[in-house]
Amino acid sequence: MLGLFLLPLLAVFIRSINPDFFGYAFSKQALDALKLSLVTSTITTVCAILFGTPLAYMLVNWKIRYKSWIELLIDLPIVLPPSVAGLALLIAFGRRGLFGSYLNLVGVSLPFTTAAVVMAQMFVAAPLFIRSARVGFTNIDKQLEEAANVEGANRWQMFREVMLPLTSKTLLSGAVLAWTRALGEFGATILFAGNLQGVTQTMPMAIYLGFERNLGVALALTVMLTLASIVLL
């Protein structure tokens, strides 16, 4: 079983060893793609933390009508094929999409922009953070909440001084999962954002393009993305 995980990665590293490796790895296309991937995945992770943490807290601690349906909606992108996610975003926010046509009236066009990359990454990666945060908030001992209430803590103080410190490791784990998922996102991005160098061409896009044109480029970029993922994990 271990060989299933190890051997493919080992094969990539071995096949990538050639005199042109560093030329491919540090080419302008590769560096542009790496920079864009790191910037967009970081923005995605920050947004997931800022908006996902309160949402997860409310889902766990508030009495919300149709909570199970809301949780299903949030978890659904985790199991959806990335191509379905990309098509859904395009149909919704494309230039002729259901909502995109209204955005065009105010001069906003999302497809094939860097913002579209972030949206695609958010769609598939944020649910991982929210799920992790929900688990963290659920596992907090209710007696600690009751003790904070007895001491006179309001809802904001309880969230900031009790909930966040107790779930910090779980939140960090969820953030790393969301970050790495965003870093490797391909299917939704290529459908909704396209593959424009310096604008929407992330590392997975550059690997796909390199595979079609030059296997050496694809291998070098694969090694770079693998190493970046290892560092994040």
Side-chain angles (χ1 to χ4, degrees):
M1 186 65 180
L2 185 60
L4 179 63
F5 303 112
L6 176 62
L7 294 179
L9 294 176
L10 183 62
V12 167
F13 276 83
I14 292 174
R15 285 293 301 274
S16 67
I17 299 174
N18 63 73
D20 297 321
F21 174 82
F22 290 103
Y24 294 143
F26 296 102
S27 64
K28 186 178 186 304
Q29 180 186 7
L31 293 178
D32 285 346
L34 179 60
K35 178 182 176 182
L36 184 65
S37 290
L38 292 176
V39 169
T40 55
S41 60
T42 300
I43 293 173
T44 296
T45 305
V46 171
C47 290
I49 294 172
L50 291 178
F51 298 106
T53 304
L55 177 59
Y57 176 78
M58 288 187 291
L59 288 173
V60 171
N61 293 281
W62 292 15
K63 292 182 178 180
I64 301 175
R65 197 175 184 184
Y66 305 118
K67 181 188 294 187
S68 60
W69 287 100
I70 296 174
E71 292 176 343
L72 173 64
L73 181 64
I74 293 171
D75 291 338
L76 191 58
I78 297 176
V79 298
L80 278 179
S83 56
V84 174
L87 184 60
L89 288 169
L90 190 61
I91 295 299
F93 300 107
R95 292 186 179 93
R96 298 182 181 180
L98 190 61
F99 307 107
S101 55
Y102 295 104
L103 293 175
N104 288 335
L105 296 176
V106 294
V108 176
S109 180
L110 291 173
F112 310 109
T113 63
T114 304
V117 177
V118 175
M119 288 184 64
Q121 291 177 350
M122 276 285 292
F123 189 84
V124 299
L128 293 173
F129 174 81
I130 296 172
R131 171 176 278 272
S132 182
R134 277 163 43 201
V135 171
F137 289 130
T138 301
N139 290 334
I140 293 178
D141 191 342
K142 295 299 180 183
Q143 291 183 350
L144 294 175
E145 297 182 47
E146 294 172 0
N149 279 323
V150 170
E151 294 296 327
N154 58 38
R155 183 164 288 182
W156 167 245
Q157 289 175 321
M158 183 181 299
F159 176 73
R160 183 187 63 191
E161 299 177 15
V162 178
M163 297 294 191
L164 286 182
L166 290 176
T167 58
S168 58
K169 290 184 178 180
T170 307
L171 295 178
L172 179 60
S173 175
V176 171
L177 285 175
W179 197 356
T180 52
R181 179 65 184 86
L183 191 65
E185 166 52 33
F186 174 78
T189 307
I190 197 169
L191 283 176
F192 185 50
N195 191 5
L196 306 174
Q197 184 175 343
V199 180
T200 65
Q201 188 180 89
T202 56
M203 286 293 283
M205 304 291 183
I207 291 171
Y208 176 75
L209 189 63
F211 182 76
E212 289 186 329
R213 297 180 179 178
N214 189 326
L215 183 59
V217 174
L219 289 171
L221 296 178
T222 300
V223 169
M224 290 181 65
L225 186 58
T226 303
L227 292 176
S229 300
I230 290 173
V231 170
L232 288 175
L233 288 173

